[in-house]
Amino acid sequence: MPPAEPPPPADAARTPPGRPDEPARRGLGRSFTNVFTANISSSLADGIARVAAPLLAARLTDDPLLIAGIAAVAMLPWLFFAIPSGVLLDRIDRRHAMSIANGTRTLLAVTLLTLFATGTLTIWWLYAVIFAYGALETLYDGAIRAVVPAIVRRADLPRANSRIEAGELVVQNFLAVPVTSALFAVAVVIPLGIGALSYAVAGVLAFFLPAAAAGAHRTHRARRRRSDDAPTAASDAPSSDDAGTPVLPSVRATFAHQLTDGFRFIMSHPMLRPLWFLSILIALFFSAAIATDVLFVLDRLDVPEQWFGVFMLSGAVGGIVGAVVVSPLKVRFGAGPVMAAANFVGPVALVVMGFFPTIPVAVVCFAVSFGSTSVWNVLVMSLRQAAIPGYLLGRVHGTWRTLLWGTMPLGSLLGGLLARIDLTTPLLVAGGLTVVVAAAGYRFLHGLPNPEDVAEHALPTR
């Protein structure tokens, strides 16, 4: 049984405003431009925070364990808050969620700037701010992913998600990293101030999104409130989605009950369940393969430390190229075949790099691997957005991310243990295991539909 929740009217969950038979437009519309711009601004602030946090930590302490703890503290909120944030997103206006998340992060950035400027910043205060940043990121990230399918058509989801993916990569890798590093050396308050302003801009832009971005759950409740008549027997009967699949009637559910809605939906869905398990295994082994890439690059490839950031831009370039080509590839070959190929090519590149640890080979393999990951991310997100009813997007996204991202620290630990044997061992062993998983899931992935053809698979079978 799927989770009990007030369903939206027919088609409201997945069809953005406009006539169903209206031909696809060339552009993605002003609403998407608004979302894209807000996400660019928020991504710039995120990138500044990720660079500034360890630099600030290095000024506050010489303890390598405390400095390394910054990365762990940044990811920890996903284990605790991803699912509750998803439940919240399926209850409130998602535009307000974006504004609240970035408005609060603006205040946190100002607080961090003030603590530093007054000389009262300690490593523990820094930990607290970074943890709060991460908790609010679970809310914002879920909101931005849930808003996109409400304002673009299913056929345009890969194109929309590829632009978001490419924008984040460009801003965080090619703008935030060098700008923050350069300005940090001049005056710490400058990048911190830019980060606070960027969060504020993103929060304000959310107010200008159309009503559809609020979420199908809000649209349904608003219509019920405007109705002058009490619910009739007909209104309590199951409605249908655009594929004729019945949707359960409205049933009030407690917050605690809704915490498991995402898990129950995924587990009962014939497409999402195997895709989730496959994604978790891939994430586990992939994170193990790249866990010690910094040591591999510096010690095995003998890249000078000052050139490490430039060298790793090869991965960022590959990711951007992947985000650019994913939509044309999907149109030419179909989402399933492209996902199957990307999921196989990426880990193969890691294994090749392990067998031939030279700088030219590593540059190409990093680009191919991260490019394949970008293609995979865009298409997986697009399929999820098309398959999940709008009123469940927050909960399912939170559940998906909790276990998926929760395995990554375990993968990093596995990679660290393998690296004690040799710095190429994580690439060969963990990369090889990723290839095995990719080969095992190749047939399933190859048969996946395009996002616009997912309507008939949208809800689990009863």
Side-chain angles (χ1 to χ4, degrees):
M1 292 287 290
E5 171 70 13
D11 288 355
R14 288 179 301 280
T15 305
R19 300 190 310 272
D21 58 344
E22 184 179 347
R25 298 177 181 176
R26 182 176 181 180
L28 295 172
R30 285 187 297 176
S31 296
F32 177 77
T33 301
N34 186 327
V35 169
F36 178 78
T37 305
N39 197 56
I40 286 292
S41 185
S42 185
S43 295
L44 175 60
D46 287 341
I48 290 173
R50 290 191 183 106
V51 176
L55 292 176
L56 281 173
R59 291 195 178 193
L60 297 171
T61 179
D62 294 328
D63 189 334
L65 181 60
L66 290 177
I67 295 175
I70 292 291
V73 169
M75 291 297 297
L76 196 59
W78 285 97
L79 292 175
F80 296 107
F81 299 112
I83 295 179
S85 292
V87 174
L88 188 62
L89 286 170
D90 289 337
R91 285 174 169 250
I92 68 173
D93 189 320
R94 288 163 182 164
R95 297 170 299 178
H96 295 168
M98 293 171 63
S99 295
I100 291 170
N102 277 334
T104 307
R105 289 199 285 186
T106 300
L107 296 178
L108 286 171
V110 171
T111 300
L112 185 62
L113 190 155
T114 303
L115 289 171
F116 179 83
T118 57
T120 55
L121 181 64
T122 66
I123 188 66
W124 307 114
W125 273 117
L126 184 60
Y127 270 28
V129 172
I130 295 303
F131 184 83
Y133 269 150
L136 291 163
E137 185 180 10
T138 66
L139 185 64
Y140 175 80
D141 184 80
I144 200 78
R145 264 59 183 184
V147 162
V148 171
I151 59 176
V152 302
R153 300 176 183 279
R154 283 196 301 270
D156 291 329
L157 284 174
R159 190 154 57 107
N161 287 316
S162 66
R163 291 187 183 182
I164 289 176
E165 181 89 2
E168 290 179 354
L169 286 168
V170 170
V171 168
Q172 293 187 6
N173 290 279
F174 293 94
L175 183 59
V177 172
V179 168
T180 304
S181 299
L183 293 178
F184 204 88
V186 177
V188 175
V189 296
I190 298 177
L192 294 182
I194 294 175
L197 180 62
S198 299
Y199 278 134
V201 169
V204 170
L205 286 174
F207 284 108
F208 296 96
L209 287 170
H217 57 298
R218 301 295 295 181
T219 304
H220 175 64
R221 290 170 186 170
R223 291 182 181 181
R224 289 293 296 270
R225 284 196 300 268
R226 288 196 299 267
S227 176
D228 294 328
D229 300 324
T232 62
S235 67
D236 286 334
S239 59
S240 299
D241 68 0
D242 50 0
T245 307
V247 180
L248 291 183
S250 299
V251 179
R252 291 187 179 275
T254 65
F255 190 93
H257 178 78
Q258 289 180 338
L259 290 173
T260 62
D261 281 352
F263 177 78
R264 289 186 289 116
F265 182 87
I266 293 173
M267 292 303 294
S268 61
H269 198 290
M271 180 182 73
L272 293 182
R273 183 178 63 252
L275 186 57
W276 190 37
F277 289 142
L278 184 63
S279 298
I280 290 169
L281 287 175
I282 292 293
L284 174 67
F285 294 134
F286 188 86
S287 59
I290 65 171
T292 54
D293 57 358
V294 59
L295 296 177
F296 173 77
V297 172
L298 296 179
D299 296 342
R300 178 51 62 91
L301 301 182
D302 291 326
V303 173
E305 185 177 2
Q306 62 268 29
W307 289 100
F308 174 75
V310 176
F311 179 87
M312 292 306 295
L313 286 179
S314 61
V317 171
I320 293 169
V321 172
V324 170
V325 303
V326 59
S327 189
L329 287 175
K330 171 257 176 186
V331 172
R332 175 67 178 85
F333 299 104
V338 173
M339 290 175 67
N343 198 42
F344 188 78
V345 170
V348 166
L350 296 179
V351 174
V352 170
M353 185 164 56
F355 274 117
F356 304 100
T358 64
I359 291 179
V361 171
V363 167
V364 174
C365 288
F366 268 123
V368 170
S369 180
F370 282 82
S372 299
T373 300
S374 185
V375 170
W376 169 264
N377 288 341
V378 168
L379 292 177
V380 168
M381 177 60 68
S382 300
L383 281 175
R384 279 173 25 214
Q385 289 169 334
I388 303 167
Y391 66 91
L392 272 175
L393 273 169
R395 277 162 285 178
V396 177
H397 178 80
T399 302
W400 192 287
R401 283 286 174 90
T402 296
L403 192 53
L404 181 69
W405 286 18
T407 62
M408 291 183 180
L410 296 177
S412 297
L413 178 61
L414 174 62
L417 293 174
L418 291 172
R420 287 184 170 182
I421 302 172
D422 187 84
L423 291 177
T424 60
T425 305
L427 296 170
L428 296 173
V429 175
L433 289 172
T434 313
V435 172
V436 172
V437 174
Y442 189 91
R443 184 175 180 181
F444 163 73
L445 293 175
H446 194 276
L448 290 176
N450 289 327
E452 62 268 29
D453 300 325
V454 160
E456 60 192 291
H457 306 287
L459 293 175
T461 55
R462 274 47 173 198

